[in-house]
Amino acid sequence: MSNIIPYYKSSDRAFTILNGDCFDLLGRFDFKFDMIFADPPYFLSNGGISCQAGKVVCVDKGDWDKSRSTEDIQKYNNEWLRLCRDKLKDNGTIWISGTYHNIFSIAMSLSNLGYRILNVVTWAKTNPPPNISRRFFTYSTEFVIWARKQQKVPHQYNYDLMRQINNGRQMKDVWHMPAIGRWEKSCGKHPTQKPLALVLRAILSCTSSNDWILDPFAGSSTTGIAANICGRRYLGIEQEVEYADLGRRRKEELNDNSVLNKYISKLEDLKYYYKGYMSEPECEYGSDLPF
């Protein structure tokens, strides 16, 4: 195993960021995770425009999101999903977000690599931007595929908690949630940042306290923040230094109890979970990571 030096590791050892390309780093250590949440490139940075806060803006995110050929996108998805599968425990699950631009390619890769797709969750945005061209329906949804590593090894699903969150009814695969709020950008903003509520629900649905969660495309480390506020541990891989640093700032902001309490008050799912978590002994975080 090559030596790996974390870009950042929190004092409680529950939040680690590696700065680099996941295609390189995932092959350089041996560790198995309980869950992966991945928000890979959608490959949409082709000069398009959208509307934000009433203004027309360019949707280009960066070189990492530049358009590619269908063949190149399929090859890209095959490779990172292959690397991630090796990092999951046999009963582990993976969540991957996307739109119609990349989600079908991802589903094909999952099937080819031996994953079992469990659900395709539809995130119905309650505050989508308008369609300024007026030639299509307003784009108001994204998708999150949930799959497990093995075809026949049972996965964890916290059915009772999900039912409680959904007012005593079975949780459906359509989640009505807003896009990120201003309160989630207090340390800065990532162009493809996902709302904490979305990632938190995914984590709560299939993990337990102290579980390890991997995000190979960490961005602003929303996955890590969601993981830590409900007692899970996190490793994020991010190739852009500015976003790795944004993730660090977001974690350190949680040391302020007023910030943590604000998060708790904003996240509806925690009303059903956090009291139970806090009634347990404090999580004894210990770094099992090999670096």
Side-chain angles (χ1 to χ4, degrees):
M1 180 189 72
S2 300
N3 290 331
I4 296 176
I5 300 176
Y7 178 81
Y8 171 75
K9 179 176 284 190
S10 62
S11 59
D12 61 11
R13 296 187 296 175
F15 188 107
T16 302
I17 300 175
L18 304 182
N19 177 222
D21 190 334
C22 69
F23 286 81
D24 169 45
L25 290 170
L26 285 172
R28 291 173 55 193
F29 64 90
D30 294 317
F31 191 79
K32 303 294 184 182
F33 294 83
D34 301 280
M35 173 187 159
I36 296 172
F37 190 98
D39 185 18
Y42 293 8
F43 302 112
L44 293 178
S45 293
N46 55 5
I49 58 175
S50 184
C51 181
Q52 293 181 5
K55 297 180 180 179
V56 176
V57 297
C58 179
V59 298
D60 285 359
K61 308 296 191 301
D63 289 341
W64 49 269
D65 192 51
K66 292 290 185 184
S67 296
R68 303 188 183 191
S69 69
T70 301
E71 293 76 14
D72 285 345
I73 290 174
Q74 193 65 56
K75 181 179 179 181
Y76 182 94
N77 288 329
N78 283 338
E79 182 60 13
W80 76 260
L81 283 166
R82 181 189 67 80
L83 292 167
C84 280
R85 192 170 189 273
D86 188 52
K87 293 295 175 282
L88 272 177
K89 294 180 179 179
D90 283 347
N91 66 339
T93 59
I94 184 170
W95 297 73
I96 311 108
S97 63
T99 63
Y100 73 87
H101 303 87
N102 69 332
I103 207 71
F104 301 112
S105 169
I106 287 169
M108 182 179 295
S109 294
L110 288 169
S111 297
N112 290 340
L113 290 167
Y115 291 89
R116 178 182 173 184
I117 295 175
L118 302 169
N119 283 110
V120 180
V121 171
T122 298
W123 168 29
K125 301 177 185 179
T126 56
N127 58 342
N131 189 307
I132 59 177
S133 73
R134 300 184 181 182
R135 300 186 64 193
F136 312 99
F137 299 112
T138 299
Y139 296 112
S140 61
T141 60
E142 293 191 34
F143 307 102
V144 191
I145 295 179
W146 183 33
R148 71 187 191 195
K149 178 179 179 178
Q150 302 284 7
Q151 291 285 334
K152 296 184 179 180
V153 177
H155 60 282
Q156 179 173 341
Y157 176 53
N158 299 325
Y159 171 84
D160 290 337
L161 175 59
M162 290 296 102
R163 182 172 177 172
Q164 186 178 11
I165 288 172
N166 198 40
N167 296 315
R169 299 187 296 271
Q170 290 188 343
M171 181 67 73
K172 297 179 181 179
D173 61 1
V174 178
W175 298 354
H176 296 270
M177 297 178 175
I180 57 172
R182 189 169 298 177
W183 59 275
E184 299 182 67
K185 310 172 192 175
S186 55
C187 295
K189 181 184 176 183
H190 187 279
T192 64
Q193 189 170 329
K194 294 296 179 289
L196 267 170
L198 179 74
V199 184
L200 177 67
R201 182 172 293 177
I203 290 172
L204 290 178
S205 74
C206 64
T207 62
S208 302
S209 292
N210 281 326
D211 278 358
W212 275 102
I213 298 169
L214 168 69
D215 189 334
F217 306 98
S220 62
S221 286
T222 295
T223 300
I225 301 302
N228 279 189
I229 61 178
C230 62
R232 277 70 165 165
R233 296 177 281 181
Y234 163 76
L235 173 66
I237 302 175
E238 174 51 45
Q239 66 179 357
E240 303 290 341
V241 172
E242 65 173 304
Y243 298 134
D245 196 50
L246 173 56
R248 174 192 61 80
R249 295 197 303 272
R250 294 185 75 191
K251 168 59 177 176
E252 292 178 349
E253 184 185 47
L254 287 183
N255 293 329
D256 184 338
N257 283 334
S258 66
V259 173
L260 179 59
N261 289 333
K262 178 176 67 176
Y263 279 21
I264 295 169
S265 68
K266 296 281 189 181
L267 295 166
E268 291 290 324
D269 289 3
L270 285 181
K271 293 180 180 179
Y272 300 93
Y273 177 79
Y274 207 70
K275 287 184 179 179
Y277 163 62
M278 288 299 290
S279 67
E280 300 172 3
E282 184 177 353
C283 292
E284 296 180 356
Y285 290 130
S287 181
D288 299 321
L289 292 170
F291 39 79

